[in-house]
Structures are given as structure tokens and as C-alpha cells.
Amino acid sequence: MSNRMWGGRFASGPAEIMEEINASIGFDKRLAPQDIRGSLAHVAMLGQAGILPADDVTAIEAGLKAVAAEIEEGRFAFRRELEDIHMAVESRLTEIVGPAAGRLHTARSRNDQVATDMKLWVRDTLEGLDAQAAGLQKALAQKALAHAATVMPGFTHLQSAQPVTFGHHCLAYVEMLARDRGRFQDARRRLNECPLGAAALAGTSFPIDRHATAAALGFDRPTANSLDSVADRDFALESLSAAAICAVHLSRFAEELVVWTSAQFDFVRLSDGYTTGSSIMPQKRNPDAAELVRAKSGRVIGALTGLLIVMKGLPLAYSKDMQEDKEGTFDALQALSLCLAAMTGMVRDLEPNAEVLARAAGSGYATATDLADWLVRELGLPFREAHHVTGRLVGVAAARGVGLEALSLADLQEAEPRIGEAVYAVLGVENSVASRTSHGGTAPDNVRAQATRWLAALDAPAA
């Protein structure tokens, strides 16, 4: 039996495997609220333009609201033979209001309908992700303010490099998230053109008002080219790209938490709320939440890669391949939302081990650069010469198994006779971080000022 929604051209129904591969209702039912919003805007415009009589418009609007209520209350039957959410809604609408429901699809196609639905869903989701990222920024900035002077080792190549503060480290992720939010907002701005009314690919001969439907749905304007309107999935690609970059940032932080919570580092501690135990080793406290955040970045990156591959060979305009935009996009953005929530909880929960951090900050000759800078600043040595002098002193200290601050003045003067007692002021880690007062540097006063600025910005009402 042919599909009664579109089957006039077909004498029989699809093969079983065709139904299996073709149906999208199992995942695109998530678009039901957006689909109904789009249909309500479309039918209102059809009435205003005089394309549909007022009685039909009234009946369709009431029927759509009834369908929406059934879906919200879990009473709606999603049937796979109807293929997708658009046909499922229209079929139920027909059962409620009768033949008038068939007029809803006047001057539109499933092609522009699904593009509109997806844009609405992605737009709503980007707004939610932006808000979640702001919440994580706030948690990090609060932690930064509380630990503006908590000294820790800074790393390059995962080797001790120079002392920084824990607050400064937190603020690095605040900056990353600011760029992530900028990408979310930019993607939202660029997608905010309405495809509805582009119909299948060529527009329509009906005297529709696309500006009216665009405004009703909160878009800035209608899309300008009917072919591009239904062929475009840039909005999903761009959103997934922004999501993938954000997921990478979260994964990097998660990796640090995994390392830092190990017994070998013991830099920070997470509570029972964000750790799990072992089925066999009773002593274990595993940072599973951080590990899962780290892993889920692969799902987000994979969704972006998958959709790029789907789109790369498609001629204009619509092809059924584009049905594959949904599952990956839904999954990826939901995964990122979960990761942002988990990371925000972990940041609020974690407590740095200040004693261990301070001890580690002084290891690995982390103040060597401070000594080299002192030689340049106080003795006027060229930096390359100061670098060599400092390197020789690090070698002496390493051979003796002590820190630079443990070398005697005579030891220091053997490498450079003009070194005086004042040099010891720069060899402590607290002095080192306090001296880094350049814009963006790790000095505690800088960190306090930046954290305070961020907290004020994040608490400010949206413009």
C-alpha cells in the first residue's frame, strides 16, 4: 500500500529495508516543538496573505496546538510508516481537523520545512550552550579569585617551566571559553535567516510573505536564495565546529584533572560526587567524570567530521543524504551540554592542595628564568649570556641534588662574580610569581583584577 501522505505516484508501498533506511522519525521527533512552531507561523501567514480562508486557519492552528499538547504529555503515537516528524504531525492533524489539514502544506515543502526546523533547534541549543559556558566561566573565575596567590608549577612539554598561580591557570580556561562563546554567538547570528517559503528548491508561485514568517519565528530575515535555502547545512557545520573546539578545551582541562588527581601529582582533590570507586581495589578514587568529558570530545569531533563528509559531494539542492545531519548534530550538542555541566560541577567541587602545589612549583629549577632575568636587569648582561650563566648554575645545583636557592653566594659568583646577595630575592617561587606583573601575567594582583573583571562582566545583564 502506498504512503497516503505522498503516495499518489506509487502503486505499492516501500520494501521493508527501504522503510528501515528511509525513516527518520526515531530521531527527528526531537524536532516536534520546532516543527509545530514553524507550521503555526506558516499557516498564520497563509491566512494573512489570503491564501487560506480564515476558518481553515483557525482549525489548523487549534489542531496544531492539540498535537503539541499530545506530544508534550507523551500521548502522541510516533509511527515509523509516516517516515518523519513532518508527516507524523500532519497525519495526526488530519485526524483532528479533517481535510483542512491538507492545506497546511500549501506553498512549502518538506525541504524548506526541515531546514527551518533544524535551524530553530540549533539556534535554541546554541543559546543554551552559551549560557552553560558562561556558568563554567563564572565557576572558574570564582576559583581564580579564591586562589589568586596559590602558587603552582607552570608547565611546557609537561615539564616544570615557571611558577604560576592556580588562579592564573583557571583564568586561562575562562579566556578559552570566552572564544567558544563568541563562536556560538557568531554561529547563531549567521544562521538566523529563515528558509521557510523556499519550498522544494525554486520558491513558490503563491503570494506568500516570507518576511512575516521569518519575523514570527525570530529570524532576522528570510534567506535570499531558494536553492541555497534548502541545500545549506553550513549552520549545522559551523555549530558543530564551534562545539568541537569547545569540547577540545574541556578535554584538555579534563586531562589535567585526571593527572592532577593522581597520587603521583596530588595537586587537586575531587569529592565523592565526581569520582567513582573500583570493583576490586578498595583504595581507588577514579576521576571518571573528567575521563568521560575527555572521551566525549571524540563524539563531538566525529559528528563534525561525519557531516562534512556527508555534504562534500552533494549537488544542489536537497538530497536525502542530508537526513544524516540530525543524529550526529543532536548527539554532539547534547554531549557538549553534558560535558559543560559536568565540568562546571567539578570546578566548583575541586580543592587545590596548596602545600603540594607550592612544593612542586619550586622543583625542576622553575625559577631559572627569574635568575636569568635578574642578571639582565641588575648586571646588564645580554640575555643569551645570562641564559648560559644560569644554565651552568642549574647544572651545578642538579649535580648536588639541590635547588638554585640552596647554592651559596660563592657558588653563584663562580659563574658570575658580580652576583650579590640580592639575587636570592628572585629565587623563591612567591617572589617569582609576584614579579610577573606584565599585562596578562601571573602576578596575584593581576589575577585578582582579571577574576574580578570577569565576574562583573558575567553578572552584567545581557545587552
Side-chain angles (χ1 to χ4, degrees), residues 188-201:
R188 187 208 182 283
R189 177 186 61 78
R190 200 167 1 260
L191 73 74
N192 209 36
E193 296 182 345
C194 183
L196 196 58
L201 75 161

Side-chain angles (χ1 to χ4, degrees), residues 52-352:
L52 291 189
D55 289 349
D56 283 348
V57 171
T58 300
I60 291 169
E61 288 177 337
L64 286 169
K65 291 172 183 177
V67 173
E70 289 181 5
I71 292 172
E72 286 179 21
E73 294 165 9
R75 296 185 287 110
F76 189 89
F78 294 99
R79 303 190 338 251
R80 192 171 67 167
E81 67 269 20
L82 293 173
E83 291 189 21
D84 56 35
I85 186 60
H86 323 298
M87 290 302 184
V89 169
E90 186 175 335
S91 175
R92 179 64 183 130
L93 181 65
T94 301
E95 292 172 352
I96 295 172
V97 306
R103 297 191 175 92
L104 172 60
H105 212 52
T106 303
R108 75 173 184 186
S109 161
R110 280 191 295 179
N111 294 355
D112 61 334
Q113 189 178 356
V114 70
T116 303
D117 291 358
M118 274 295 285
K119 277 196 171 186
L120 288 170
W121 188 89
V122 170
R123 188 179 71 183
D124 292 345
T125 303
L126 287 176
E127 290 170 357
L129 292 172
D130 180 54
Q132 284 188 286
L136 178 52
Q137 282 184 296
K138 187 171 183 178
L140 285 161
Q142 289 169 336
K143 196 67 70 172
L145 189 59
H147 293 281
T150 301
V151 178
M152 69 172 287
F155 297 97
T156 61
H157 309 278
L158 203 56
Q159 306 293 315
S160 292
Q162 294 175 315
V164 295
T165 71
F166 190 80
H168 193 57
H169 199 104
C170 289
L171 288 177
Y173 285 101
V174 174
E175 296 293 333
M176 292 184 206
L177 286 159
R179 296 193 295 274
D180 292 327
R181 292 183 62 203
R183 281 182 281 269
F184 293 149
Q185 292 162 10
D186 197 41
R188 187 208 182 283
R189 177 186 61 78
R190 200 167 1 260
L191 73 74
N192 209 36
E193 296 182 345
C194 183
L196 196 58
L201 75 161
T204 178
S205 59
F206 288 95
I208 62 172
D209 185 348
R210 293 190 62 210
H211 288 86
T213 48
L217 293 170
F219 288 103
D220 294 331
R221 63 191 71 84
T223 50
N225 182 282
S226 60
L227 281 168
D228 179 57
S229 300
V230 299
D232 166 47
R233 290 300 182 269
D234 288 4
F235 65 91
L237 289 168
E238 189 171 358
S239 300
L240 287 172
S241 178
I245 296 170
C246 183
V248 167
H249 291 156
L250 298 182
S251 182
R252 294 180 73 180
F253 193 18
E255 167 68 5
E256 290 184 323
L257 292 180
V258 171
V259 172
W260 291 352
T261 55
S262 68
Q264 290 71 25
F265 274 74
D266 195 26
F267 281 5
V268 301
R269 292 178 185 148
L270 289 169
S271 75
D272 294 354
Y274 291 94
T275 56
T276 65
S278 163
S279 63
I280 190 172
M281 295 169 284
Q283 82 280 10
K284 294 293 292 297
R285 183 191 289 272
N286 300 321
D288 282 10
E291 291 172 359
L292 288 166
V293 167
R294 184 177 60 184
K296 286 182 185 295
S297 64
R299 296 174 71 152
V300 182
I301 295 165
L304 170 61
T305 304
L307 185 54
L308 284 167
I309 293 169
V310 166
M311 297 301 297
K312 71 175 180 60
L314 298 188
L316 298 184
Y318 181 83
S319 297
K320 199 60 179 275
D321 311 51
M322 292 163 68
Q323 181 170 288
E324 292 298 309
D325 65 345
K326 296 175 189 62
E327 284 182 284
T329 302
F330 293 157
D331 180 77
L333 299 188
Q334 181 179 359
L336 181 61
S337 175
L338 184 58
C339 289
L340 285 165
M343 188 60 77
T344 302
M346 282 187 283
V347 168
R348 289 176 179 153
D349 180 82
L350 68 83
E351 283 301 326

Side-chain angles (χ1 to χ4, degrees), residues 394-411:
V394 168
V396 171
R400 297 181 186 176
V402 299
L404 286 171
E405 68 280 1
L407 295 178
S408 68
L409 185 59
D411 293 328

